[in-house]
Amino acid sequence: MAPPEQPHQGRVTPPVIAPGHTFRSVTDKIGGIVLTKRTPIGWFVGFGIGFIFLLVLNVTIGNLLVTGIGIWGNNVPVGWAFDIINFVWWIGIGHAGTLISAILLLFRQQWRTSINRFAEAMTLFAVACAAMFPLLHTGRPWLAAYWLFPYPNTMGLWPQFRSPLIWDVFAVSTYGTVSLLFWFTGLVPDLATLRDRAQSKGVRRIFGVLSLGWRGSARHWHRYEMAYLLLAGISTPLVLSVHSVVSFDFAVSNLPGWHATVFPPYFVAGAIYSGFAMVMTLAIPLRKFYHLEDFITMRHIHNMTKVMLVTGMIVAYGYANEAFFAWYSANPYEAFMMSNRMTGPYALFYWTLIAINAVMIQLFWFRKVRDNIVLLFVLSLLVNVGMWLERFVIIVTSLHRDFLPSSWDMYAPTRWDFAMFTGTIGLFLSLFFLFIRFLPALAMFEMRTIVPEAKMEHEHRG
Amino acid sequence: MSHAELPAALHGLMAEFETPTALVRAAEQARLAGYREMDAYSPIPIEELNEALGLRRTRLPKLVFLGGVIGGTAGYALQYWSQAMAYPMNIGGRPYHSWPHFIPVTFETTVLGAALACFVGMWALNKLPQPYHPVFNVPEFARASLDRFFLCIESTDPKFDREETARFLAGLHPVGVSEVAP
């Protein structure tokens, strides 16, 4: 069937899937990326770059374990520094995956279908990167087990459950586990498709084991859909709780710049904002190089931009709220913190993040911007820079000049700090490239539900 | 097929359809005709099949609720026991049983319990993983995960008759009818 002619004025909402697709074309297109014997050269380039930085990470961790965390720039007033900046940055990025897979499912947002799978993968890999920082920040991660997890040990020690840091351990480990369960559950019918489509016996066997013998039985689908809905319902409060708990790490303390009521919602919004930026950063090259423009359409790009605009404005409100209460509280320490943030040695970082997260995102109001893929790619990268700077500013400017001027100091990261950070980006990229090569990056069975063939003809019913 | 091998067990008879609508109609008619032991197979979830096949509501939500209750109770109990009994510590003069501090972890363990119950429960109720199932003996069935829709009437159904059921299925205008070896 020929697609109806659409006017070019640009006022039309683009479809969530290009017209003319069938069960087979959707499956072949997405499954073909995995089942082909030919790996695109660009994949090797991308994976190679990621892998080099992954090796950097390995060297850094090796050095860290041998030498200790003295290789980092952390000092006495700024004890949290890069570890927590990067931890919060990565965890935040993960949140968009769960928002797309769970919250948008509950809201029946059909456009989530084309982007949920790789966004969930992004969540898992981001959580893996994030978890590394606090763990290695302990310096002796092999001892961290009894510091962090409640298990009966020979010393009779138990973690301190009144500390937000322990809440964080529970929030992040629950989040990682539930995201993995959700992701794997979503994958099973697709793995069965790959099992049935695979040409080689070995590949068929691997997918056969992974797909658990899925056969698409109506009884199974019935429970499966219920489980999917329940997992979405469970994940929705979970994802909101995770970044709230992360914000408690700061908000529960008494430090000016951290001790703020607005932190939980402001952190959650910031997480979704940066996460959508990362989804965009991944989706734009993915759709280009694998020619997935039919599935990840301009509709998705537009909607993601709009989500970023909304959540970015909430974040900007958070900045305004912080500044307002620093003045309104009439607390000299709060006021000093804010003036130090705005005019002190790290002022450049503060104003850069304001320029990005409060000013630059106003560009997203314009349809011309939302239609410009290359510009959006650059802007989405900048958003992630902005959100990284936000965490830097919150952590470093609050710590480096605290209540006692005699303990003031400056913080500068060392090359090992950067090695660790870029190393986790390498880990993330390596995992992501492996994922798009070996697993279906888009949910095939869910894509099949949105093609016209899936529509039921209802006229036979009374 | 020779009548000599008739008693040779058969898992059932399977009809293949091209569209979800045809499958739902076939399932409805098979149910009207009195068949009960049957299953439908499709590459996408089809809500209408639940009614057509007369599927009952799943117990899964109850399991998930139970999992959440167990997770939450265990999480709170762990905190109460470890903070107030096993390892009491005075933190800023707070009571040992400082319950507001125990809420975040209780919430997380509730979620964890519910999610694990959901995941394990769904696969267990579906009796998966299952390494072998007779439907995979039908070569055409490879398309059940792609673009074809199947209805299988199983030989355990009291009304099942190799000839009669095959004729019935052929009357539903399928693409084809296959015998499913056990």
Side-chain angles (χ1 to χ4, degrees), chain A residues 23-24 27-28 150 156-163 166-167 170-171 173-175 177-178 181-182 184-185 188-189 192-197 211-228 230-231 234 237-238 241-242 245 248 445 448-449 453-461, chain B residues 20-21 24-25 28 36 38-46 48-51 53 55-58 60-61 64 78-79 81-83 86-87 89 91 94-98 101-102 104-105 107-109 111-112 114-116 118-119 122-123 125-126 128-130 133 135-136 141-147 149:
Chain A
F23 290 142
R24 183 176 276 276
T27 311
D28 282 350
L157 299 175
W158 290 92
Q160 180 49 257
F161 281 104
R162 293 175 194 89
S163 163
I166 288 298
W167 306 347
F170 276 80
S173 55
T174 301
Y175 183 49
T177 311
V178 174
L181 299 181
F182 202 5
F184 179 74
T185 301
V188 167
T193 301
L194 293 177
R195 169 199 67 203
D196 296 339
R197 308 281 293 149
S211 63
L212 312 177
W214 180 263
R215 53 185 189 273
S217 151
R219 284 158 219 280
H220 292 177
W221 277 124
H222 179 50
R223 293 192 194 95
Y224 181 91
E225 289 281 284
M226 178 56 83
Y228 210 66
L230 287 168
L231 281 175
I234 294 165
L238 174 66
S241 86
V242 173
V245 168
F248 289 160
F445 88 86
R448 283 195 295 260
T449 63
E453 268 181 298
K455 288 238 163 54
M456 294 289 297
E457 297 157 27
H458 277 288
E459 81 277 17
H460 67 291
R461 283 165 184 274
Chain B
T21 315
V24 172
R25 274 183 202 166
E28 279 168 351
R36 291 294 177 270
M38 55 182 173
D39 207 346
Y41 302 90
S42 58
I44 53 169
I46 303 171
E48 288 82 351
L49 276 177
N50 302 339
E51 200 190 325
L53 290 172
L55 299 186
R56 267 177 297 170
R57 284 175 59 144
T58 157
L60 195 59
V64 172
L78 168 75
Q79 294 177 85
W81 182 77
S82 70
Q83 306 301 297
Y87 196 57
M89 281 229 277
I91 303 293
R94 291 180 182 87
Y96 293 132
H97 180 209
S98 47
H101 287 89
F102 300 164
V105 169
F107 173 80
E108 303 299 340
T109 54
V111 165
L112 187 64
L116 287 173
C118 187
F119 182 80
M122 187 266 286
W123 295 117
L125 290 175
N126 281 346
L128 292 175
Q130 183 173 352
H133 195 273
V135 288
F136 290 108
F141 193 73
R143 287 178 73 177
S145 63
L146 173 64
D147 60 351
F149 300 80

Side-chain angles (χ1 to χ4, degrees), chain A residues 33-34 39 43-44 46-48 50-51 54 121 125 183 207 290 426-441:
Chain A
I33 297 172
V34 178
T39 309
W43 186 89
F44 285 107
F47 177 73
F51 194 70
L54 175 59
F125 305 152
W183 184 66
F207 285 124
Y290 283 103
L427 172 66
F428 179 83
L429 284 178
S430 307
L431 289 170
F432 199 80
F433 273 99
L434 289 173
F435 161 71
I436 52 179
R437 181 66 186 88
F438 294 110
L439 289 170

Side-chain angles (χ1 to χ4, degrees), chain A residues 145-414:
Chain A
Y146 76 84
W147 296 338
L148 302 178
F149 289 103
Y151 70 95
N153 54 60
T154 50
M155 296 158 289
L157 299 175
W158 290 92
Q160 180 49 257
F161 281 104
R162 293 175 194 89
S163 163
L165 300 182
I166 288 298
W167 306 347
D168 222 10
V169 172
F170 276 80
V172 172
S173 55
T174 301
Y175 183 49
T177 311
V178 174
S179 302
L180 183 67
L181 299 181
F182 202 5
W183 184 66
F184 179 74
T185 301
L187 266 171
V188 167
D190 279 3
L191 295 170
T193 301
L194 293 177
R195 169 199 67 203
D196 296 339
R197 308 281 293 149
Q199 302 297 320
S200 99
K201 211 169 176 187
V203 175
R204 195 178 312 145
R205 185 151 298 168
I206 291 168
F207 285 124
V209 171
L210 290 176
S211 63
L212 312 177
W214 180 263
R215 53 185 189 273
S217 151
R219 284 158 219 280
H220 292 177
W221 277 124
H222 179 50
R223 293 192 194 95
Y224 181 91
E225 289 281 284
M226 178 56 83
Y228 210 66
L229 193 64
L230 287 168
L231 281 175
I234 294 165
S235 304
T236 297
L238 174 66
V239 67
L240 299 180
S241 86
V242 173
H243 230 62
S244 299
V245 168
V246 169
S247 82
F248 289 160
D249 291 347
F250 304 96
V252 171
S253 77
N254 284 326
L255 196 71
W258 287 6
H259 189 59
T261 320
V262 76
F263 261 36
Y266 153 58
F267 265 52
V268 171
I272 290 165
Y273 170 60
S274 66
F276 266 89
M278 187 58 105
V279 175
M280 190 95 103
T281 309
L282 297 172
I284 289 173
L286 185 70
R287 78 197 276 275
K288 170 102 182 100
F289 291 115
Y290 283 103
H291 308 290
L292 295 170
E293 284 93 344
D294 279 4
F295 303 153
I296 305 171
T297 65
M298 285 317 287
R299 170 83 155 270
H300 301 97
I301 306 280
H302 285 179
N303 285 359
M304 286 195 276
T305 318
K306 288 173 189 168
V307 174
M308 281 163 67
L309 179 59
V310 171
T311 49
M313 300 272 272
I314 299 175
V315 171
Y317 171 77
Y319 302 148
N321 184 300
E322 278 184 304
F324 173 75
F325 277 100
W327 167 74
Y328 189 69
S329 67
N331 177 327
Y333 297 102
E334 286 281 343
F336 170 75
M337 178 282 300
M338 201 33 97
S339 79
N340 181 49
R341 213 176 251 190
M342 289 177 170
T343 59
Y346 297 109
L348 180 66
F349 292 172
Y350 181 75
W351 292 111
T352 313
L353 89 88
I354 294 289
I356 294 173
N357 293 343
V359 181
M360 184 199 81
I361 57 155
Q362 306 304 329
L363 287 172
F364 295 154
W365 286 102
F366 301 103
R367 177 135 186 162
K368 275 222 168 85
V369 175
R370 295 202 300 268
D371 274 333
N372 187 335
I373 293 282
V374 178
L375 181 63
L376 283 178
F377 183 70
V378 175
L379 293 183
S380 69
L381 285 174
L382 281 175
V383 166
N384 270 317
V385 172
M387 285 308 289
W388 189 88
L389 286 172
E390 178 200 295
R391 278 70 177 245
F392 183 93
V393 165
I394 289 175
I395 289 167
V396 175
T397 67
S398 305
L399 283 172
H400 90 122
R401 288 180 178 173
D402 61 359
F403 299 102
L404 211 61
S406 62
S407 61
W408 288 3
D409 204 348
M410 289 296 288
Y411 166 74
T414 65

